[in-house]
Amino acid sequence: MGKVYVRVDDRLIHGQTIVAWCPTLGIEEIIAIDDVSAQNPMLKSILTMGVPKNYKTNIVTTAEANELLKQSSDKNRLVIVKFPEKLAEIAENIKNCEQLILGNIAKRDDTIHKVSGATGIFYLSDSDVKILDDLANAGIDIVFHQLPNATKVTWKAFKETI
């Protein structure tokens, strides 16, 4: 049975995903969840343009992602969403993931928490914190980690700062 890793990165699939994360985690399949991109052939093309053919790549809606994730796989999968709010919609199907890795999350109108002590851009709203806290309380290992060789901050350490 393959492993599932989940990443929150507002850029979805990009160079760091392919060059750093996929090899480090032994990824064989990428599942990028974004309803807008999944329904736009141009955006799908742009997102998959730099992905080598050895990675099975899916740009899917939330509903399609939930169906994919319900199916067992022998491949190591990297599930990517733009923002934590999407995690609530797939929570049932990621509860056994190896790790939830928070990558770049840009500042938005409702973000009031900036994660310090880690490299990268990590901004969270109160709603994001609640979603992530619920997942952490359900036993999911959550870390802020931009690149595999960069400093990471655990969810517990972050929670102590707010």
Side-chain angles (χ1 to χ4, degrees):
M1 181 97 158
K3 297 177 180 177
V4 174
Y5 296 89
V6 179
R7 183 162 172 83
V8 180
D9 191 321
D10 60 13
R11 301 165 294 175
L12 287 177
I13 301 172
H14 55 90
Q16 291 173 347
T17 307
I18 302 307
V19 174
W21 284 107
C22 286
T24 299
L25 301 174
I27 298 303
E28 300 161 275
E29 181 177 9
I30 300 168
I31 302 171
I33 306 170
D34 182 53
D35 295 330
V36 173
S37 297
Q39 297 171 17
N40 184 319
M42 175 77 74
L43 290 175
K44 281 176 93 164
S45 176
I46 290 167
L47 284 170
T48 58
M49 192 177 297
V51 180
K53 299 294 180 216
N54 58 310
Y55 297 112
K56 181 176 181 182
T57 306
N58 307 282
I59 313 295
V60 296
T61 65
T62 307
E64 292 168 330
N66 276 316
E67 288 306 312
L68 268 175
L69 293 168
K70 284 178 188 173
Q71 301 168 13
S72 64
S73 175
D74 60 349
K75 296 182 183 318
N76 285 349
R77 295 169 151 177
L78 178 62
V79 176
I80 310 172
V81 300
K82 285 186 173 186
F83 301 109
E85 66 190 30
K86 188 61 66 183
L87 298 171
E89 298 175 52
I90 63 169
E92 185 61 30
N93 292 308
I94 61 168
K95 63 184 175 191
N96 294 318
C97 73
E98 297 294 312
Q99 191 168 59
L100 195 160
I101 306 162
L102 302 172
N104 273 27
I105 306 171
K107 186 159 180 50
R108 294 163 280 145
D109 289 342
D110 64 342
T111 54
I112 58 173
H113 306 286
K114 166 114 171 66
V115 178
S116 52
T119 58
I121 301 167
F122 306 110
Y123 289 95
L124 298 173
S125 68
D126 282 337
S127 174
D128 295 335
V129 170
K130 166 104 175 68
I131 290 165
L132 292 165
D133 214 26
D134 288 348
L135 293 169
N137 289 335
I140 294 178
D141 177 27
I142 301 174
V143 295
F144 295 88
H145 203 188
Q146 188 169 16
L147 288 168
N149 62 351
T151 302
K152 70 178 160 183
V153 173
T154 66
W155 182 252
K156 182 180 177 197
F158 164 70
K159 284 289 294 201
E160 291 170 359
T161 70
I162 60 173

